Amino acid sequence: QVQLVESGGGLVQAGDSLRLSCAASGRTYSNYHKAWFRQAPGKEREFVACISWNGGNSNYADSVQGRFTISTDNTKNTVALQMNDLKPEDTAVYYCAIGEFYGRTSPGEYRYWGQGTQVTVSS
């Protein structure tokens, strides 16, 4: 069993930066691939970024490519999402997730989820 807890969300202005963090408990955390998703009000949960278990590979949604960076530290059982040049359309609840297969962009492919952290970007 793995538990995930996100932190770092908040209210910022367009152009600002935020760093989200996800802390995990569980002995097998490092063996999983990690990802961030987000869900805006009235919309489906969408893929943001993913990273392989050892951090060697990563992939991003087109909408965040070049602005967001995902990273993982298996010594600390954390996965982070550095978000730069935030835009109002980035407003959503952000979730971290882990799964057995790298590169999957569907929420159903991920086994464990955090409770989410709110990010609000004002214009």
Side-chain angles (χ1 to χ4, degrees):
Q1 187 76 13
V2 178
Q3 292 184 330
L4 306 173
V5 179
E6 301 95 336
S7 62
L11 172 63
V12 297
Q13 294 185 333
D16 285 351
S17 298
L18 271 179
R19 184 177 179 85
L20 305 183
S21 184
C22 176
S25 62
R27 293 181 297 171
T28 60
Y29 169 79
S30 62
N31 296 338
Y32 288 100
H33 305 293
K34 292 85 170 177
W36 287 92
F37 285 76
R38 65 187 182 186
Q39 188 166 17
K43 295 187 177 181
E44 294 185 351
R45 192 167 298 188
E46 66 173 0
F47 169 79
V48 175
C50 64
I51 191 166
S52 57
W53 72 273
N54 63 352
N57 294 284
S58 60
N59 189 33
Y60 298 88
D62 289 343
S63 59
V64 307
Q65 180 76 49
R67 299 188 297 122
F68 290 12
T69 302
I70 188 172
S71 60
T72 186
D73 185 342
N74 288 332
T75 65
K76 298 181 179 179
N77 278 4
T78 58
V79 56
L81 185 68
Q82 177 66 42
M83 306 186 294
N84 298 331
D85 189 24
L86 283 160
K87 303 176 180 181
E89 51 264 43
D90 295 319
T91 295
V93 177
Y94 283 71
Y95 299 88
C96 66
I98 62 173
E100 297 174 334
F101 304 101
Y102 170 69
R104 304 302 171 93
T105 61
S106 171
E109 301 278 3
Y110 289 83
R111 186 172 183 181
Y112 296 105
W113 291 84
Q115 82 291 346
T117 185
Q118 177 71 46
V119 172
T120 304
V121 185
S122 64
S123 57

